[in-house]
Amino acid sequence: MEKNIRCIVAKPGLDGHDRGAKVISRGLRDAGLEVIYTGLHQTPADIVESVVQEDPDVLLLSILSGAHPILFPEIMKKLKEEGADDVLVLGGGIIPDEDVAKMKEAGISEIFGPGTKIQEIVDYIKTHLKR
Amino acid sequence: MTSTEKNRDNLESIKKEKERWINEIVKKSLEKVPERKRLFKNLSNIKLNSLYTPEDIKNFNYLKDLGFPGEFPYTRAAQPTSYRAKYWTMRQFAGLGNAKETNERFKYLIANGQTGLSVAFHLPTIYGYESSSPMSAGEVGKEGVAIDSLADMEQLFDGIDLSKISTSMTINAPASILLCMYLAVGEKQGVSMEKLTGTIQNDILKEYQAQKSYIFPPEPSMRLIVDTIEFCTKNVPKWNTISISGYHIREAGSTAVQELAFTLANGLAYVEAGIDRGLNVDDFAPRLSHFFNAHNNFFEEIAKYRAARRIWAKHLREDYKAIDPRSWRLRFHTQTAGVSLTAREPYNNIIRVTLQALAAVLGGTQSLHSNSFDEALALPSEEAVRIALRTQQIIAEESGVADVIDPLGGSYYVEALTNKMEEECENYFAKIKEMGNGSILKGSFVGIKNNFYQREIADASYQFQRELEAKEQIQVGVNKYKFEGKTIEPPELIKISEEVSKEQIENLNNVKAQRDETAAQNSLAKIKEIAQGTENLIPYILDAVKAYCSAGEIIDVFRNVFGVYREESIF
């Protein structure tokens, strides 16, 4: 039997644009994955705490405010500190092309921008799980 | 034969002729070439006929259903002369970096023919955090302009005469504070309150439902809104006290019908709240304004605006017994649909925006923001925002569509669709009223608490995503006609540096070091005292703002007294 894949969908930062996060959450659930959605306005510390508590296979971060250059690396740093960096981390939202490489350097495995199909994300998760 | 009989007779012949046309002509044609789709529907899932005839508006009564522009039920236009006297206000939403940078953008837009200002605040201001708060990390100046205190606001409007231009401010939970800062800037410029014109969004209900920039629970938030209405009614009579907004409901994924219904229901909830406070409906209803989205389905959008005017007029007159025609008249701002813009082939967005803006104009908008083509990538660049403004100017000056009022009025399709949108909107009203035991205001609170709105919107947005992935909805350049080559990159993308944040925090610290600290602390203590009672808060907020208390400091006092709201997140 296929392993049950556990995901946390999190919204760091202050922006309230949760349409994408909610659509992705539901899409992953409909694809048979287990999904926890943290809700809005999560600080990096909140998100890392959720990861430590829930021990997911995947962490999906959605942000549309432009605060990703600060918040994404901060989350990755804290995950490492907590020894929780074996989780696959994906990012989505309005992330300019020139920032994508920097986010990957920080440890985000892939960035999915506007126009991504849910199935592409599901496929990516299934082929890139870290454990 | 009476005219009614003649009409009925005429309808009978049309019906017969239509049947013949379908059976003899259409059928044959379909045998050769079938229709492109099994089901034609718009974005509200309203099924569309291939053709509309007088049969689809059987009970049409011109005087009752449409009337004349500027008169009940306002279906045709809010103003008697519409765009023949004055074009809509061209008002581009702008805010980036610090107050100085945004002030330059405002001046650039005014120099290029913009006729109103619209302020986008950065998220820390929207959520009532100082730029120095840990919650503001990474957000300063990113999604709008960083405003902490009156000092920033003075800089924002430096060299702009507030007696000559109207300003719209997209601010909700802290709306009363930003309004007070604006009043204080006006005073410094020598423009008295009664002369200031503009709008604060101040629409908290849609924040819980869709946009999510709430701070306090619904009840105290409503108190701040009604305090603002009461204060402005007496002191700032030309100010639009709420911009009742469907824009964000739509962006969050609702259908056009849901946008229409939830927005107008929220509007009626504010009317009830004002009446509950003991205000006379005709004293405040004329200063309520609306804000809608302009999305892709052209005729659906036009029908939505026409239906909105008629529904508002009927309810204000019949349910809330308003007698001043200005209370019946729905005025609205429109913004084209940000969510419809694509990051792929961004120049295609110019065409999307043109069609959406055209729908808003044909629907009779009072003011318009047209999105910039690079907005799926970043904040708009100067080049992109100028093209967006030019789009409006070309529609106004070159296309001729502004020369005749409500040019689509009388179209069988548009009238049938307007009726249908009204009918479906009324169904939602009935549901909301039922949740509130007859009160739309109470129904709104209950609906928010029970996730009624949130669920409706989440379902609609998920359905749309499924249809997009199944190619039942098309995005050119994204899921059809995909271009794999290289497109011309937009000339420049705006990037806000982290330096902005450092400077902003320094400035805030300087403002605090230079102010009369005792006066500042006293004014905050006074706000706390008044917040615990029922007296109108606005005069005390104005004092605190003038003492250079930051918006964050004032909101902290309110957080302390009112508590904060946490939503139960559903998907």
Side-chain angles (χ1 to χ4, degrees):
Chain A
M1 203 185 99
E2 208 176 359
K3 178 179 171 294
N4 190 22
I5 301 172
R6 197 168 156 88
C7 310
I8 290 186
V9 176
K11 267 206 67 67
L14 290 178
D15 81 282
H17 300 113
D18 57 2
R19 178 177 183 166
K22 287 180 165 193
V23 164
I24 296 290
S25 298
R26 194 145 157 191
L28 295 179
R29 189 182 65 193
D30 285 359
L33 283 66
E34 187 188 336
V35 180
I36 300 161
Y37 170 49
T38 62
L40 295 167
H41 311 148
Q42 301 287 301
T43 63
D46 294 337
I47 292 170
V48 172
E49 197 190 316
S50 302
V51 171
V52 170
Q53 279 181 8
E54 304 288 347
D55 193 28
D57 303 292
V58 194
L59 172 65
L60 298 99
L61 303 169
S62 167
I63 191 162
L64 290 90
S65 73
H68 56 274
I70 299 288
L71 297 177
F72 280 12
E74 179 68 16
I75 292 165
M76 297 312 295
K77 196 182 110 203
K78 284 198 151 67
L79 281 175
K80 214 169 264 171
E81 284 167 10
E82 294 294 330
D85 55 335
D86 59 338
V87 62
L88 174 68
V89 185
L90 309 179
I94 304 290
I95 317 272
D97 282 347
E98 55 173 293
D99 289 351
V100 170
K102 282 182 222 152
M103 296 301 109
K104 287 186 176 173
E105 255 168 57
I108 312 277
S109 293
E110 192 53 88
I111 299 288
F112 294 97
T116 306
K117 281 188 190 175
I118 293 170
Q119 193 57 45
E120 287 172 41
I121 300 174
V122 173
D123 292 344
Y124 185 92
I125 290 174
K126 289 190 172 167
T127 48
H128 289 78
L129 278 180
K130 288 192 175 178
R131 50 185 187 183
Chain B
M1 229 198 274
T2 68
S3 68
T4 326
E5 282 165 344
K6 236 191 235 166
N7 193 26
R8 205 177 299 140
D9 195 45
N10 190 23
L11 274 178
E12 271 309 306
S13 342
I14 291 170
K15 193 176 169 190
K16 248 191 246 157
E17 277 296 293
K18 191 174 156 197
E19 273 163 23
R20 179 201 54 76
W21 171 71
I22 288 174
N23 291 326
E24 291 175 15
I25 309 293
V26 178
K27 226 172 162 183
K28 248 189 245 161
S29 180
L30 286 178
E31 276 161 18
K32 274 188 249 159
V33 190
E35 288 188 334
R36 285 182 285 111
K37 294 192 242 185
R38 194 172 44 81
L39 173 72
F40 287 81
K41 59 170 187 137
N42 62 21
L43 294 172
S44 296
N45 296 313
I46 293 171
K47 184 179 166 286
L48 302 176
N49 302 340
S50 67
L51 185 80
Y52 286 80
T53 69
E55 222 201 324
D56 298 290
I57 47 169
K58 279 200 270 286
N59 301 316
F60 179 74
N61 178 328
Y62 181 85
L63 292 177
K64 200 170 134 280
D65 298 335
L66 302 189
F68 288 92
E71 280 186 350
F72 192 89
Y74 297 91
T75 316
R76 305 215 63 175
Q79 311 288 356
T81 49
S82 198
Y83 306 138
R84 283 170 72 101
K86 190 175 146 278
Y87 291 128
W88 60 94
T89 303
M90 298 180 191
R91 193 191 291 285
Q92 298 295 88
F93 186 44
L96 69 166
N98 58 24
K100 187 168 173 286
E101 206 174 337
T102 301
N103 175 268
E104 283 162 15
R105 176 62 67 89
F106 283 171
K107 287 175 178 165
Y108 175 83
L109 287 165
I110 293 169
N112 278 287
Q114 166 163 289
T115 48
L117 293 175
S118 174
V119 189
F121 295 99
H122 75 161
L123 288 166
T125 303
I126 286 174
Y127 285 99
Y129 295 114
E130 291 185 332
S131 293
S132 50
S133 159
M135 291 301 289
S136 307
E139 309 277 11
V140 176
K142 291 280 172 65
E143 251 190 27
V145 57
I147 300 290
D148 281 301
S149 75
L150 178 57
D152 298 320
M153 205 69 163
E154 288 163 1
Q155 170 80 65
L156 185 65
F157 294 104
D158 183 53
I160 297 170
D161 183 350
L162 299 190
S163 72
K164 298 221 165 74
I165 198 153
S166 67
T167 303
S168 171
M169 293 190 276
T170 298
I171 191 75
N172 291 281
S176 53
I177 300 166
L178 274 299
L179 169 67
C180 286
M181 287 188 189
Y182 194 83
L183 299 178
V185 173
E187 193 184 303
K188 291 206 169 181
Q189 285 193 3
V191 187
S192 60
M193 288 190 204
E194 64 271 17
K195 290 201 185 104
L196 288 173
T197 56
T199 307
I200 38 174
Q201 200 162 76
N202 205 22
D203 169 14
I204 204 70
L205 292 171
K206 66 91 173 55
E207 295 297 337
Y208 303 110
Q209 295 160 356
Q211 168 88 348
K212 310 295 171 73
S213 58
Y214 44 71
I215 302 176
F216 321 115
E219 289 80 4
S221 297
M222 200 54 110
R223 180 228 174 141
L224 279 170
I225 290 170
V226 182
D227 278 3
T228 310
I229 293 176
E230 193 178 38
F231 179 86
C232 289
T233 302
K234 287 186 197 128
N235 304 292
V236 204
K238 290 189 193 162
W239 198 267
N240 295 314
T241 52
I242 317 182
S243 171
I244 305 152
S245 304
Y247 184 79
H248 321 84
I249 293 172
R250 190 70 184 279
E251 289 288 294
S254 83
T255 67
V257 162
Q258 289 167 339
E259 176 197 353
L260 177 68
F262 298 166
T263 309
L264 295 184
N266 289 345
L268 299 177
Y270 295 122
V271 170
E272 280 187 19
I275 292 171
D276 286 354
R277 173 70 67 96
L279 303 176
N280 178 348
V281 64
D282 287 315
D283 287 342
F284 72 90
R287 295 314 319 175
L288 301 176
S289 64
H290 288 76
F291 172 21
F292 291 109
N293 198 299
H295 214 288
N296 282 341
N297 194 302
F298 191 69
F299 291 106
E300 181 179 25
E301 295 302 291
I302 296 165
K304 179 182 79 185
Y305 308 124
R306 300 175 83 248
R309 278 193 294 269
R310 187 161 73 203
I311 297 164
W312 185 256
K314 283 187 188 170
H315 283 272
L316 263 288
R317 191 170 81 169
E318 283 148 32
D319 298 352
Y320 300 101
K321 310 295 173 211
I323 48 172
D324 184 342
R326 292 176 311 146
S327 301
W328 307 334
R329 181 187 63 188
L330 178 145
R331 296 167 298 129
F332 68 102
H333 171 70
T334 308
Q335 178 170 342
T336 59
V339 81
S340 72
L341 303 185
T342 64
R344 279 171 187 275
E345 294 186 61
Y347 288 93
N348 294 348
N349 293 328
I350 298 175
I351 293 90
R352 293 190 177 97
V353 168
T354 305
L355 288 166
Q356 294 163 358
L358 182 60
V361 168
L362 292 174
T365 194
Q366 272 57 60
S367 74
L368 179 59
H369 165 105
S370 38
N371 285 328
S372 300
F373 71 88
D374 56 357
E375 285 189 57
L377 305 166
L379 290 185
S381 66
E382 271 193 359
E383 178 78 11
V385 78
R386 200 184 65 249
I387 292 173
L389 178 59
R390 294 287 181 257
T391 305
Q392 293 195 40
Q393 290 162 338
I394 290 168
I395 291 173
E397 306 280 357
E398 298 185 14
S399 77
V401 297
D403 292 349
V404 173
I405 304 169
D406 187 30
L408 293 171
S411 145
Y412 304 120
Y413 175 32
V414 172
E415 295 303 350
L417 199 50
T418 304
N419 294 345
K420 180 74 181 161
M421 306 243 1
E422 180 176 2
E423 183 193 317
E424 297 210 355
C425 177
E426 290 292 344
N427 292 341
Y428 270 120
F429 282 4
K431 267 188 213 164
I432 296 166
K433 262 191 183 163
E434 202 190 311
M435 288 189 284
N437 287 325
S439 153
I440 281 214
L441 174 61
K442 287 194 189 111
S444 308
F445 287 163
V446 172
I448 288 165
K449 203 163 158 264
N450 295 348
N451 277 321
F452 165 75
Y453 301 96
Q454 297 91 318
R455 173 66 60 206
E456 287 272 328
I457 294 168
D459 286 348
S461 70
Y462 192 59
Q463 187 201 335
F464 183 81
Q465 179 67 24
R466 298 301 295 241
E467 290 177 0
L468 205 57
E469 296 196 6
K471 299 192 182 184
E472 287 160 26
Q473 300 283 357
I474 296 301
Q475 270 183 328
V476 170
V478 178
N479 67 356
K480 198 172 182 181
Y481 311 112
K482 227 162 137 173
F483 181 68
E484 299 297 348
K486 219 167 158 44
T487 54
I488 308 169
E489 294 284 317
E492 44 151 356
L493 285 183
I494 291 277
K495 190 126 183 114
I496 307 295
S497 84
E498 298 305 324
E499 283 303 304
V500 168
S501 176
K502 266 189 218 151
E503 254 177 56
Q504 184 66 23
I505 294 169
E506 262 174 45
N507 287 346
L508 174 62
N509 290 339
N510 286 340
V511 167
K512 285 188 179 177
Q514 282 164 21
R515 72 186 178 188
D516 176 345
E517 194 55 31
T518 316
Q521 293 307 327
N522 286 346
S523 67
L524 290 172
K526 192 72 189 166
I527 288 182
K528 184 170 183 185
E529 180 197 324
I530 300 298
Q532 286 163 334
T534 55
E535 197 186 332
N536 193 309
L537 274 159
I538 309 302
Y540 302 95
I541 298 173
L542 192 53
D543 287 344
V545 157
K546 286 184 187 170
Y548 290 89
C549 293
S550 72
E553 286 176 307
I554 299 171
I555 293 287
D556 273 342
V557 173
F558 289 147
R559 277 197 186 97
N560 201 294
V561 178
F562 297 149
V564 291
Y565 180 79
R566 298 249 177 265
E567 73 166 9
E568 176 206 344
S569 302
I570 54 131
F571 61 87

